[in-house]
Amino acid sequence: VLPGDIATATIGLLGGTGDQGRGLARRLAAAGHSVVLGSREPERAVAAANELRARRTHLDIRGDSNAAAAQSASVVIVAVPYAGHRELLTALAAELAGKLVIDCVNPTLFERGKPPSMIAVPEGSAAEEAAAVLPESTVVSAFHDVSAKLLLSSKRSIATDVLVCGDDAEANEWVCELAGRIRGMRGVNVGPLQLSNTLESLTLVLIGVNKRYKARSGVRITGI
Ligand SMILES: NC(=O)c1ccc[n+]([C@@H]2O[C@H](COP(=O)([O-])OP(=O)(O)OC[C@H]3O[C@@H](n4cnc5c(N)ncnc54)[C@H](OP(=O)(O)O)[C@@H]3O)[C@@H](O)[C@H]2O)c1
């Protein structure tokens, strides 16, 4: 299921018109990848891709429907809000079969006047939900701890670790290598997919730190 040479992998982004999707698209395209932004409305993805290319003309980014992005890419990153996660992946199960699917969705609940909290996912986490509805795909959980604002910022390098988990050790390593292609980033393989709940919940920690320290925080694993 692993796409062969990492350097030539085409990356599809479901929900690629959002901050996280555009941010990852921009950084991965800057690392030399062909990127296809997906959207429920292909015109929105075309406009988002044009906008990213307008700033940096050499980037290989185009826009299409989510289904076309899933179909034409060898690796697909899921970057939709949790509210649309199960439905979208269920609908695209055929397009995603036999592919590596990287899930960065955080099932976070934002309610006015309350601190953010986690939505309980029956399977344990958003990434485990993805694995349940995509039995013919290899699901790896990653990029939960990377701020979209930083990805979209003018910073040339983003000094952070990307924590990666999944049940296929080779796929985890592949995704660590992919993360490492973004300048400043290091992928760290933390283990099986059942740890995704911890990675997704870490978002609450980072949101709290960002608020208190007026920062765009990330994580660093020391000692390795
Ligand atoms: N923002 C961050 O800093 C950050 C960091 C780490 C992880 N994440 C995770 O990444 C995901 C995307 O974050 P974001 O901030 O980019 O979110 P967003 O802007 O709210 O949504 C991303 C895109 O998803 C599509 N979408 C919205 N509702 C949908 C639905 N019900 N079904 C299918 N598609 C839907 C929209 O694209 P179209 O309307 O064009 O289809 C939208 O542009 C979230 O799960 C978030 O937890 C975000």
Side-chain angles (χ1 to χ4, degrees), residues 44-101:
R44 268 206 292 274
V46 170
N50 288 345
E51 198 229 331
L52 288 171
R53 273 202 325 273
R55 288 194 224 153
R56 293 192 188 181
T57 48
H58 66 283
L59 298 184
D60 181 1
I61 305 179
R62 62 183 182 85
D64 213 321
S65 64
N66 281 322
Q71 212 150 29
S72 55
S74 50
V75 183
V76 180
I77 302 179
V78 190
V80 295
Y82 177 67
H85 183 254
R86 187 186 296 268
E87 190 185 336
L88 180 73
L89 294 185
T90 302
L92 295 181
E95 286 84 351
L96 295 170
K99 295 199 174 174
L100 176 59
V101 175

Side-chain angles (χ1 to χ4, degrees), residues 189-204:
N189 179 1
V190 306
L193 199 63
Q194 65 166 31
L195 286 175
S196 193
N197 178 280
T198 306
L199 300 194
E200 294 167 24
S201 304
L202 197 57
T203 306
L204 299 184

Side-chain angles (χ1 to χ4, degrees), residues 99-144:
K99 295 199 174 174
L100 176 59
V101 175
I102 304 173
D103 202 309
C104 74
V105 170
N106 295 319
T108 322
L109 183 65
F110 296 95
E111 286 180 301
R112 191 182 278 268
K114 291 188 186 172
S117 59
M118 297 308 285
I119 298 164
V121 179
E123 288 84 355
S125 64
E128 288 167 287
E129 177 179 288
V133 301
L134 303 174
E136 292 181 57
S137 307
T138 299
V139 174
V140 173
S141 179
F143 297 112
H144 299 279

